[in-house]
Amino acid sequence: MENTKKQIPIEEGLFYIPSSPDEKPYLIGTKCKVCGLSVFPKTPVCPKCMKKDTMEEALLIGKGKLDSFSIVQAALPGFKAPSIQAYINLEKGPRIWSLVTGCDPSEEALKPGMDMEMVIAKVREDDQGNEIISYQFKPAGKVKI
Ligand SMILES: [Zn+2]
C-alpha cells in the first residue's frame, strides 16, 4: 500500500502552486477593470467602485516589502508558536496579511521595509499526517524553505 502524505491547500483558490521548480507561486486575487485596484483574497465587489461585475481574477506576484509585524506567542489551533504574523505591501498590489517563515521569531530578525518573497510552505498537519500548506512570506534571498 502506498503511504504518501498529501499536501493540502489550507483554502482552495487562495494561491497557485507551481508545477515545476522554475515556476513561481502566485497569490490569486481580484483586480477591478474600472479603477485597477487589486484585492486579496478574492472579492466579488470592488471596495472602491462598489459596483457589480467590475472584478476579474488576477494573479499577484509574491514579492513585496514588510510593512509591520508581530511575534505571536500564543499558538493558533494546530500551528506552532511563537509565530510571526505580518502585513506585506505587495509590489504590484494590496497590503496583505501573512505568516512569516525562514527566520527567527525575534524583533531583530525583521525590519519594516525589507524585501520579502512568498513561499508555499506547511503550516500544520492534519490527523492523517497530511501537510496543510499555505502561502507564507520569508525575507528575500535568504535560505530556501
Ligand atoms: Zn474599482
Side-chain angles (χ1 to χ4, degrees), residues 17-46:
I17 305 165
S19 51
S20 84
D22 301 331
E23 272 186 276
K24 295 268 183 210
Y26 287 95
L27 293 169
I28 303 170
T30 43
K31 188 172 180 181
C32 178
K33 286 183 275 189
V34 178
C35 72
L37 186 75
S38 298
V39 183
F40 175 83
K42 285 194 272 192
T43 178
V45 178
C46 173

